[in-house]
Amino acid sequence: MNLKRLLLLVAAILAEVAATLMLRASVSDPVWIPGVVVLYATAFFILGLTQRLGMPLGAVYATWSASGVALVAVLGIVFFGELLSIGAILGIALIIIGVILVESGTPEESETVGAEVTE
């Protein structure tokens, strides 16, 4: 995976995680709602850019969603004092294992999309 695609994927993950944390914060303070909308839109836009650069859809979505779940769960503990059960911890571990398996079975370049899509 080249550095540009990896950085875009990390940016999409961080935008989604920030939006989700703001969504939780908006329960008690609606001032966070505009940030939720902007950051979710940003996350999806950046996710689309990773697709334009030829990252395989399965790898992108698996990494983005699983990383988001794991980070939100951990940051929910830090920022909101939420607790994780043993089952939740096991689930997060299984998600991470699943992403690793998806990544290991994904070719480096998408077979259906070139290195860069031109219109």
Side-chain angles (χ1 to χ4, degrees):
M1 184 178 320
N2 76 29
L3 184 60
K4 185 175 182 179
R5 289 188 277 182
L6 181 60
L7 290 175
L8 283 172
L9 185 55
V10 168
I13 292 165
L14 293 176
E16 187 265 336
V17 167
T20 303
L21 292 173
M22 285 183 180
L23 184 61
R24 169 62 173 81
S26 73
V27 169
S28 60
D29 189 358
V31 74
W32 294 101
I33 293 173
V36 171
V37 173
V38 168
L39 284 171
Y40 273 132
T42 300
F44 281 107
F45 175 76
I46 297 171
L47 210 55
L49 292 178
T50 63
Q51 292 292 282
R52 291 181 60 88
L53 293 177
M55 281 188 79
L57 177 61
V60 168
Y61 189 72
T63 305
W64 179 71
S65 60
S67 299
V69 168
L71 282 171
V72 165
V74 170
L75 293 173
I77 294 168
V78 173
F79 291 116
F80 302 110
E82 296 177 350
L83 301 174
L84 292 179
S85 67
I86 296 298
I89 293 168
L90 180 60
I92 290 169
L94 289 172
I95 289 169
I96 292 168
I97 291 167
V99 169
I100 291 169
L101 291 174
V102 168
E103 285 288 332
S104 67
T106 303
E108 181 63 28
E109 293 291 326
S110 175
E111 296 175 7
T112 58
V113 179
E116 191 168 329
V117 177
T118 57
E119 293 183 19

